[in-house]
mmCIF file of all heavy atoms in Angstrom:
data_model
loop_
_atom_site.group_PDB
_atom_site.id
_atom_site.type_symbol
_atom_site.label_atom_id
_atom_site.label_comp_id
_atom_site.label_asym_id
_atom_site.label_seq_id
_atom_site.Cartn_x
_atom_site.Cartn_y
_atom_site.Cartn_z
ATOM 1 N N MET A 1 0.821 -1.203 0.008
ATOM 2 C CA MET A 1 -0.004 0.003 0.000
ATOM 3 C C MET A 1 0.873 1.257 0.006
ATOM 4 O O MET A 1 0.550 2.247 -0.679
ATOM 5 C CB MET A 1 -0.916 -0.013 1.229
ATOM 6 C CG MET A 1 -1.830 1.197 1.348
ATOM 7 S SD MET A 1 -1.097 2.581 2.303
ATOM 8 C CE MET A 1 -1.082 1.858 3.952
ATOM 9 N N GLU A 2 1.976 1.214 0.725
ATOM 10 C CA GLU A 2 2.807 2.416 0.888
ATOM 11 C C GLU A 2 3.757 2.623 -0.294
ATOM 12 O O GLU A 2 4.447 3.665 -0.340
ATOM 13 C CB GLU A 2 3.595 2.341 2.197
ATOM 14 C CG GLU A 2 2.722 2.400 3.446
ATOM 15 C CD GLU A 2 3.508 2.206 4.735
ATOM 16 O OE1 GLU A 2 4.649 1.675 4.658
ATOM 17 O OE2 GLU A 2 3.003 2.564 5.790
ATOM 18 N N ASN A 3 3.848 1.665 -1.202
ATOM 19 C CA ASN A 3 4.780 1.768 -2.328
ATOM 20 C C ASN A 3 4.126 1.517 -3.669
ATOM 21 O O ASN A 3 4.437 0.550 -4.361
ATOM 22 C CB ASN A 3 5.944 0.790 -2.106
ATOM 23 C CG ASN A 3 6.792 1.139 -0.898
ATOM 24 O OD1 ASN A 3 7.666 1.987 -0.954
ATOM 25 N ND2 ASN A 3 6.503 0.459 0.219
ATOM 26 N N PRO A 4 3.183 2.368 -4.064
ATOM 27 C CA PRO A 4 2.479 2.172 -5.327
ATOM 28 C C PRO A 4 3.368 2.288 -6.574
ATOM 29 O O PRO A 4 3.002 1.811 -7.657
ATOM 30 C CB PRO A 4 1.385 3.227 -5.324
ATOM 31 C CG PRO A 4 1.953 4.309 -4.447
ATOM 32 C CD PRO A 4 2.743 3.607 -3.391
ATOM 33 N N ASP A 5 4.511 2.927 -6.408
ATOM 34 C CA ASP A 5 5.407 3.130 -7.548
ATOM 35 C C ASP A 5 6.347 1.962 -7.790
ATOM 36 O O ASP A 5 7.123 1.965 -8.737
ATOM 37 C CB ASP A 5 6.236 4.407 -7.306
ATOM 38 C CG ASP A 5 6.979 4.405 -6.009
ATOM 39 O OD1 ASP A 5 6.473 3.798 -5.025
ATOM 40 O OD2 ASP A 5 8.092 4.975 -5.932
ATOM 41 N N ILE A 6 6.266 0.939 -6.933
ATOM 42 C CA ILE A 6 7.133 -0.241 -7.077
ATOM 43 C C ILE A 6 6.254 -1.431 -7.459
ATOM 44 O O ILE A 6 5.150 -1.613 -6.929
ATOM 45 C CB ILE A 6 7.885 -0.526 -5.752
ATOM 46 C CG1 ILE A 6 8.695 0.679 -5.292
ATOM 47 C CG2 ILE A 6 8.801 -1.740 -5.912
ATOM 48 C CD1 ILE A 6 9.401 0.508 -3.967
ATOM 49 N N ASN A 7 6.772 -2.253 -8.335
ATOM 50 C CA ASN A 7 5.983 -3.423 -8.817
ATOM 51 C C ASN A 7 6.146 -4.593 -7.829
ATOM 52 O O ASN A 7 6.955 -5.504 -8.006
ATOM 53 C CB ASN A 7 6.484 -3.855 -10.196
ATOM 54 C CG ASN A 7 6.189 -2.838 -11.254
ATOM 55 O OD1 ASN A 7 5.266 -2.017 -11.124
ATOM 56 N ND2 ASN A 7 6.935 -2.852 -12.332
ATOM 57 N N ILE A 8 5.358 -4.523 -6.767
ATOM 58 C CA ILE A 8 5.416 -5.579 -5.746
ATOM 59 C C ILE A 8 4.006 -6.064 -5.441
ATOM 60 O O ILE A 8 3.009 -5.413 -5.751
ATOM 61 C CB ILE A 8 6.080 -5.075 -4.453
ATOM 62 C CG1 ILE A 8 5.361 -3.850 -3.896
ATOM 63 C CG2 ILE A 8 7.572 -4.792 -4.694
ATOM 64 C CD1 ILE A 8 5.924 -3.351 -2.569
ATOM 65 N N ALA A 9 3.924 -7.227 -4.805
ATOM 66 C CA ALA A 9 2.662 -7.814 -4.404
ATOM 67 C C ALA A 9 2.834 -8.454 -3.031
ATOM 68 O O ALA A 9 3.956 -8.557 -2.520
ATOM 69 C CB ALA A 9 2.198 -8.863 -5.428
ATOM 70 N N SER A 10 1.714 -8.872 -2.440
ATOM 71 C CA SER A 10 1.803 -9.482 -1.121
ATOM 72 C C SER A 10 0.832 -10.663 -1.028
ATOM 73 O O SER A 10 -0.104 -10.777 -1.839
ATOM 74 C CB SER A 10 1.494 -8.466 0.003
ATOM 75 O OG SER A 10 0.141 -8.030 -0.089
ATOM 76 N N ILE A 11 1.078 -11.490 -0.063
ATOM 77 C CA ILE A 11 0.169 -12.579 0.307
ATOM 78 C C ILE A 11 -0.313 -12.290 1.716
ATOM 79 O O ILE A 11 0.507 -12.155 2.632
ATOM 80 C CB ILE A 11 0.869 -13.940 0.230
ATOM 81 C CG1 ILE A 11 1.284 -14.255 -1.199
ATOM 82 C CG2 ILE A 11 -0.044 -15.053 0.768
ATOM 83 C CD1 ILE A 11 2.135 -15.516 -1.339
ATOM 84 N N ALA A 12 -1.633 -12.201 1.890
ATOM 85 C CA ALA A 12 -2.192 -11.866 3.204
ATOM 86 C C ALA A 12 -3.662 -12.271 3.219
ATOM 87 O O ALA A 12 -4.182 -12.882 2.287
ATOM 88 C CB ALA A 12 -2.036 -10.357 3.468
ATOM 89 N N ASN A 13 -4.341 -11.927 4.328
ATOM 90 C CA ASN A 13 -5.754 -12.294 4.436
ATOM 91 C C ASN A 13 -6.652 -11.147 3.939
ATOM 92 O O ASN A 13 -6.181 -10.049 3.646
ATOM 93 C CB ASN A 13 -6.110 -12.668 5.886
ATOM 94 C CG ASN A 13 -5.854 -11.534 6.859
ATOM 95 O OD1 ASN A 13 -6.238 -10.393 6.658
ATOM 96 N ND2 ASN A 13 -5.191 -11.846 7.974
ATOM 97 N N ASP A 14 -7.940 -11.421 3.861
ATOM 98 C CA ASP A 14 -8.849 -10.404 3.305
ATOM 99 C C ASP A 14 -9.025 -9.206 4.256
ATOM 100 O O ASP A 14 -9.350 -8.120 3.812
ATOM 101 C CB ASP A 14 -10.226 -10.996 2.941
ATOM 102 C CG ASP A 14 -10.801 -11.872 4.025
ATOM 103 O OD1 ASP A 14 -10.232 -11.938 5.124
ATOM 104 O OD2 ASP A 14 -11.819 -12.507 3.757
ATOM 105 N N MET A 15 -8.771 -9.429 5.547
ATOM 106 C CA MET A 15 -8.821 -8.320 6.483
ATOM 107 C C MET A 15 -7.709 -7.320 6.165
ATOM 108 O O MET A 15 -7.919 -6.092 6.242
ATOM 109 C CB MET A 15 -8.653 -8.832 7.922
ATOM 110 C CG MET A 15 -8.909 -7.827 9.008
ATOM 111 S SD MET A 15 -8.683 -8.610 10.647
ATOM 112 C CE MET A 15 -9.400 -7.351 11.693
ATOM 113 N N ALA A 16 -6.541 -7.814 5.787
ATOM 114 C CA ALA A 16 -5.422 -6.933 5.392
ATOM 115 C C ALA A 16 -5.731 -6.177 4.100
ATOM 116 O O ALA A 16 -5.408 -4.990 3.958
ATOM 117 C CB ALA A 16 -4.154 -7.754 5.243
ATOM 118 N N ALA A 17 -6.386 -6.857 3.145
ATOM 119 C CA ALA A 17 -6.739 -6.195 1.898
ATOM 120 C C ALA A 17 -7.673 -5.046 2.185
ATOM 121 O O ALA A 17 -7.564 -3.962 1.597
ATOM 122 C CB ALA A 17 -7.378 -7.199 0.941
ATOM 123 N N GLU A 18 -8.653 -5.270 3.069
ATOM 124 C CA GLU A 18 -9.595 -4.204 3.428
ATOM 125 C C GLU A 18 -8.933 -3.096 4.186
ATOM 126 O O GLU A 18 -9.140 -1.902 3.898
ATOM 127 C CB GLU A 18 -10.737 -4.805 4.276
ATOM 128 C CG GLU A 18 -11.755 -3.768 4.709
ATOM 129 C CD GLU A 18 -12.792 -4.373 5.656
ATOM 130 O OE1 GLU A 18 -12.846 -5.612 5.770
ATOM 131 O OE2 GLU A 18 -13.492 -3.598 6.285
ATOM 132 N N GLU A 19 -8.088 -3.440 5.145
ATOM 133 C CA GLU A 19 -7.431 -2.440 6.002
ATOM 134 C C GLU A 19 -6.512 -1.526 5.201
ATOM 135 O O GLU A 19 -6.459 -0.315 5.440
ATOM 136 C CB GLU A 19 -6.635 -3.157 7.090
ATOM 137 C CG GLU A 19 -5.881 -2.245 8.024
ATOM 138 C CD GLU A 19 -6.775 -1.472 8.985
ATOM 139 O OE1 GLU A 19 -7.846 -1.999 9.371
ATOM 140 O OE2 GLU A 19 -6.425 -0.349 9.343
ATOM 141 N N TYR A 20 -5.782 -2.102 4.209
ATOM 142 C CA TYR A 20 -4.775 -1.328 3.497
ATOM 143 C C TYR A 20 -5.178 -0.991 2.068
ATOM 144 O O TYR A 20 -4.359 -0.509 1.278
ATOM 145 C CB TYR A 20 -3.452 -2.087 3.529
ATOM 146 C CG TYR A 20 -2.944 -2.280 4.946
ATOM 147 C CD1 TYR A 20 -2.950 -3.517 5.558
ATOM 148 C CD2 TYR A 20 -2.501 -1.181 5.705
ATOM 149 C CE1 TYR A 20 -2.523 -3.687 6.857
ATOM 150 C CE2 TYR A 20 -2.067 -1.336 7.003
ATOM 151 C CZ TYR A 20 -2.088 -2.594 7.581
ATOM 152 O OH TYR A 20 -1.666 -2.736 8.887
ATOM 153 N N GLY A 21 -6.418 -1.242 1.705
ATOM 154 C CA GLY A 21 -6.929 -0.810 0.417
ATOM 155 C C GLY A 21 -6.330 -1.495 -0.777
ATOM 156 O O GLY A 21 -6.151 -0.873 -1.842
ATOM 157 N N LEU A 22 -6.028 -2.790 -0.664
ATOM 158 C CA LEU A 22 -5.427 -3.506 -1.784
ATOM 159 C C LEU A 22 -6.493 -4.288 -2.533
ATOM 160 O O LEU A 22 -7.584 -4.551 -2.061
ATOM 161 C CB LEU A 22 -4.381 -4.481 -1.253
ATOM 162 C CG LEU A 22 -3.208 -3.874 -0.474
ATOM 163 C CD1 LEU A 22 -2.179 -4.925 -0.127
ATOM 164 C CD2 LEU A 22 -2.571 -2.720 -1.245
ATOM 165 N N THR A 23 -6.140 -4.694 -3.764
ATOM 166 C CA THR A 23 -7.042 -5.459 -4.587
ATOM 167 C C THR A 23 -6.611 -6.935 -4.571
ATOM 168 O O THR A 23 -5.462 -7.232 -4.831
ATOM 169 C CB THR A 23 -7.003 -4.962 -6.034
ATOM 170 O OG1 THR A 23 -7.427 -3.604 -6.085
ATOM 171 C CG2 THR A 23 -7.907 -5.798 -6.929
ATOM 172 N N ILE A 24 -7.552 -7.804 -4.216
ATOM 173 C CA ILE A 24 -7.261 -9.234 -4.227
ATOM 174 C C ILE A 24 -7.368 -9.743 -5.663
ATOM 175 O O ILE A 24 -8.432 -9.698 -6.257
ATOM 176 C CB ILE A 24 -8.228 -10.005 -3.295
ATOM 177 C CG1 ILE A 24 -8.013 -9.581 -1.832
ATOM 178 C CG2 ILE A 24 -8.015 -11.505 -3.451
ATOM 179 C CD1 ILE A 24 -8.973 -10.237 -0.860
ATOM 180 N N VAL A 25 -6.267 -10.208 -6.177
ATOM 181 C CA VAL A 25 -6.209 -10.705 -7.557
ATOM 182 C C VAL A 25 -6.673 -12.151 -7.628
ATOM 183 O O VAL A 25 -7.372 -12.564 -8.535
ATOM 184 C CB VAL A 25 -4.800 -10.562 -8.140
ATOM 185 C CG1 VAL A 25 -4.739 -11.138 -9.567
ATOM 186 C CG2 VAL A 25 -4.376 -9.076 -8.142
ATOM 187 N N LYS A 26 -6.254 -12.923 -6.644
ATOM 188 C CA LYS A 26 -6.661 -14.317 -6.597
ATOM 189 C C LYS A 26 -6.846 -14.742 -5.137
ATOM 190 O O LYS A 26 -5.963 -14.544 -4.312
ATOM 191 C CB LYS A 26 -5.646 -15.225 -7.286
ATOM 192 C CG LYS A 26 -6.160 -16.653 -7.444
ATOM 193 C CD LYS A 26 -5.281 -17.481 -8.386
ATOM 194 C CE LYS A 26 -5.880 -18.862 -8.600
ATOM 195 N NZ LYS A 26 -5.088 -19.656 -9.548
ATOM 196 N N GLN A 27 -8.008 -15.334 -4.843
ATOM 197 C CA GLN A 27 -8.327 -15.762 -3.500
ATOM 198 C C GLN A 27 -7.876 -17.208 -3.265
ATOM 199 O O GLN A 27 -7.725 -17.976 -4.179
ATOM 200 C CB GLN A 27 -9.820 -15.665 -3.252
ATOM 201 C CG GLN A 27 -10.371 -14.259 -3.254
ATOM 202 C CD GLN A 27 -11.853 -14.237 -2.923
ATOM 203 O OE1 GLN A 27 -12.613 -14.992 -3.452
ATOM 204 N NE2 GLN A 27 -12.244 -13.322 -2.042
ATOM 205 N N ASN A 28 -7.692 -17.493 -1.986
ATOM 206 C CA ASN A 28 -7.434 -18.852 -1.518
ATOM 207 C C ASN A 28 -6.339 -19.547 -2.311
ATOM 208 O O ASN A 28 -6.531 -20.570 -2.945
ATOM 209 C CB ASN A 28 -8.727 -19.677 -1.610
ATOM 210 C CG ASN A 28 -9.844 -19.121 -0.744
ATOM 211 O OD1 ASN A 28 -9.582 -18.591 0.330
ATOM 212 N ND2 ASN A 28 -11.069 -19.187 -1.223
ATOM 213 N N ILE A 29 -5.159 -18.961 -2.229
ATOM 214 C CA ILE A 29 -4.033 -19.498 -2.980
ATOM 215 C C ILE A 29 -3.210 -20.488 -2.150
ATOM 216 O O ILE A 29 -2.183 -20.978 -2.612
ATOM 217 C CB ILE A 29 -3.110 -18.362 -3.480
ATOM 218 C CG1 ILE A 29 -2.498 -17.620 -2.288
ATOM 219 C CG2 ILE A 29 -3.877 -17.409 -4.395
ATOM 220 C CD1 ILE A 29 -1.382 -16.651 -2.697
ATOM 221 N N HIS A 30 -3.626 -20.764 -0.946
ATOM 222 C CA HIS A 30 -2.898 -21.677 -0.065
ATOM 223 C C HIS A 30 -2.967 -23.128 -0.629
ATOM 224 O O HIS A 30 -3.919 -23.500 -1.295
ATOM 225 C CB HIS A 30 -3.491 -21.631 1.345
ATOM 226 C CG HIS A 30 -4.961 -21.510 1.404
ATOM 227 N ND1 HIS A 30 -5.603 -20.288 1.338
ATOM 228 C CD2 HIS A 30 -5.971 -22.431 1.458
ATOM 229 C CE1 HIS A 30 -6.917 -20.482 1.392
ATOM 230 N NE2 HIS A 30 -7.149 -21.795 1.465
ATOM 231 N N ASP A 31 -1.942 -23.891 -0.334
ATOM 232 C CA ASP A 31 -1.805 -25.242 -0.862
ATOM 233 C C ASP A 31 -2.845 -26.202 -0.264
ATOM 234 O O ASP A 31 -3.284 -27.123 -0.938
ATOM 235 C CB ASP A 31 -0.419 -25.795 -0.599
ATOM 236 C CG ASP A 31 0.675 -25.015 -1.348
ATOM 237 O OD1 ASP A 31 0.338 -24.261 -2.280
ATOM 238 O OD2 ASP A 31 1.842 -25.166 -0.978
ATOM 239 N N TYR A 32 -3.154 -26.012 1.015
ATOM 240 C CA TYR A 32 -4.026 -26.966 1.716
ATOM 241 C C TYR A 32 -5.244 -26.258 2.278
ATOM 242 O O TYR A 32 -5.149 -25.192 2.898
ATOM 243 C CB TYR A 32 -3.244 -27.642 2.853
ATOM 244 C CG TYR A 32 -2.018 -28.387 2.372
ATOM 245 C CD1 TYR A 32 -0.774 -27.808 2.410
ATOM 246 C CD2 TYR A 32 -2.130 -29.673 1.861
ATOM 247 C CE1 TYR A 32 0.356 -28.490 1.947
ATOM 248 C CE2 TYR A 32 -1.034 -30.358 1.390
ATOM 249 C CZ TYR A 32 0.210 -29.763 1.446
ATOM 250 O OH TYR A 32 1.320 -30.432 0.980
ATOM 251 N N GLU A 33 -6.404 -26.880 2.090
ATOM 252 C CA GLU A 33 -7.658 -26.260 2.451
ATOM 253 C C GLU A 33 -7.932 -26.260 3.958
ATOM 254 O O GLU A 33 -8.724 -25.484 4.461
ATOM 255 C CB GLU A 33 -8.811 -26.947 1.753
ATOM 256 C CG GLU A 33 -8.847 -26.733 0.250
ATOM 257 C CD GLU A 33 -9.049 -25.286 -0.119
ATOM 258 O OE1 GLU A 33 -9.821 -24.584 0.612
ATOM 259 O OE2 GLU A 33 -8.464 -24.808 -1.098
ATOM 260 N N HIS A 34 -7.280 -27.162 4.680
ATOM 261 C CA HIS A 34 -7.616 -27.334 6.098
ATOM 262 C C HIS A 34 -6.601 -26.752 7.043
ATOM 263 O O HIS A 34 -6.422 -27.262 8.172
ATOM 264 C CB HIS A 34 -7.824 -28.846 6.371
ATOM 265 C CG HIS A 34 -8.904 -29.458 5.516
ATOM 266 N ND1 HIS A 34 -10.224 -29.147 5.620
ATOM 267 C CD2 HIS A 34 -8.807 -30.360 4.492
ATOM 268 C CE1 HIS A 34 -10.916 -29.836 4.730
ATOM 269 N NE2 HIS A 34 -10.061 -30.560 4.020
ATOM 270 N N ASN A 35 -5.903 -25.735 6.606
ATOM 271 C CA ASN A 35 -4.913 -25.100 7.468
ATOM 272 C C ASN A 35 -5.609 -24.212 8.504
ATOM 273 O O ASN A 35 -6.513 -23.416 8.193
ATOM 274 C CB ASN A 35 -3.959 -24.265 6.634
ATOM 275 C CG ASN A 35 -2.799 -23.720 7.460
ATOM 276 O OD1 ASN A 35 -2.497 -24.240 8.533
ATOM 277 N ND2 ASN A 35 -2.156 -22.692 6.964
ATOM 278 N N HIS A 36 -5.210 -24.358 9.748
ATOM 279 C CA HIS A 36 -5.751 -23.535 10.843
ATOM 280 C C HIS A 36 -4.615 -23.126 11.767
ATOM 281 O O HIS A 36 -3.562 -23.776 11.820
ATOM 282 C CB HIS A 36 -6.789 -24.336 11.661
ATOM 283 C CG HIS A 36 -8.058 -24.593 10.939
ATOM 284 N ND1 HIS A 36 -8.173 -25.512 9.924
ATOM 285 C CD2 HIS A 36 -9.300 -24.015 11.074
ATOM 286 C CE1 HIS A 36 -9.422 -25.527 9.459
ATOM 287 N NE2 HIS A 36 -10.121 -24.634 10.131
ATOM 288 N N THR A 37 -4.829 -22.054 12.502
ATOM 289 C CA THR A 37 -3.906 -21.634 13.541
ATOM 290 C C THR A 37 -4.647 -21.495 14.874
ATOM 291 O O THR A 37 -5.772 -20.979 14.915
ATOM 292 C CB THR A 37 -3.254 -20.270 13.189
ATOM 293 O OG1 THR A 37 -2.406 -20.468 12.036
ATOM 294 C CG2 THR A 37 -2.377 -19.770 14.332
ATOM 295 N N LYS A 38 -3.994 -21.973 15.936
ATOM 296 C CA LYS A 38 -4.542 -21.848 17.280
ATOM 297 C C LYS A 38 -3.872 -20.695 17.976
ATOM 298 O O LYS A 38 -2.655 -20.472 17.832
ATOM 299 C CB LYS A 38 -4.317 -23.131 18.089
ATOM 300 C CG LYS A 38 -5.190 -24.284 17.689
ATOM 301 C CD LYS A 38 -4.928 -25.490 18.572
ATOM 302 C CE LYS A 38 -5.805 -26.663 18.158
ATOM 303 N NZ LYS A 38 -5.559 -27.844 19.003
ATOM 304 N N PHE A 39 -4.669 -19.943 18.724
ATOM 305 C CA PHE A 39 -4.165 -18.828 19.532
ATOM 306 C C PHE A 39 -4.591 -19.068 20.972
ATOM 307 O O PHE A 39 -5.644 -19.673 21.212
ATOM 308 C CB PHE A 39 -4.735 -17.493 19.060
ATOM 309 C CG PHE A 39 -4.392 -17.151 17.628
ATOM 310 C CD1 PHE A 39 -5.143 -17.683 16.574
ATOM 311 C CD2 PHE A 39 -3.348 -16.322 17.323
ATOM 312 C CE1 PHE A 39 -4.837 -17.383 15.258
ATOM 313 C CE2 PHE A 39 -3.036 -16.005 16.001
ATOM 314 C CZ PHE A 39 -3.778 -16.535 14.979
ATOM 315 N N ILE A 40 -3.784 -18.626 21.900
ATOM 316 C CA ILE A 40 -4.164 -18.724 23.313
ATOM 317 C C ILE A 40 -4.320 -17.330 23.910
ATOM 318 O O ILE A 40 -3.699 -16.375 23.478
ATOM 319 C CB ILE A 40 -3.131 -19.514 24.152
ATOM 320 C CG1 ILE A 40 -1.741 -18.922 24.025
ATOM 321 C CG2 ILE A 40 -3.150 -20.990 23.744
ATOM 322 C CD1 ILE A 40 -0.743 -19.503 25.031
#
């Protein structure tokens, strides 16, 4: 978001796309559908 003049891209979640005003080109690019993270 901060470097529109540079040809770069990112991998992140849809919350980040919304927060930083990015365009999602392709959704769900992860290799495995059942990936989860636990938090405490």
Side-chain angles (χ1 to χ4, degrees):
M1 180 270 291
E2 293 175 343
N3 295 278
D5 55 328
I6 303 177
N7 293 337
I8 57 177
S10 65
I11 296 173
N13 60 48
D14 48 7
M15 190 180 193
E18 179 185 347
E19 179 71 32
Y20 298 109
L22 301 185
T23 299
I24 295 177
V25 177
K26 189 167 184 178
Q27 294 183 313
N28 299 325
I29 64 169
H30 38 274
D31 296 344
Y32 300 97
E33 291 297 324
H34 302 292
N35 188 20
H36 290 74
T37 294
K38 287 183 180 179
F39 300 82
I40 57 169

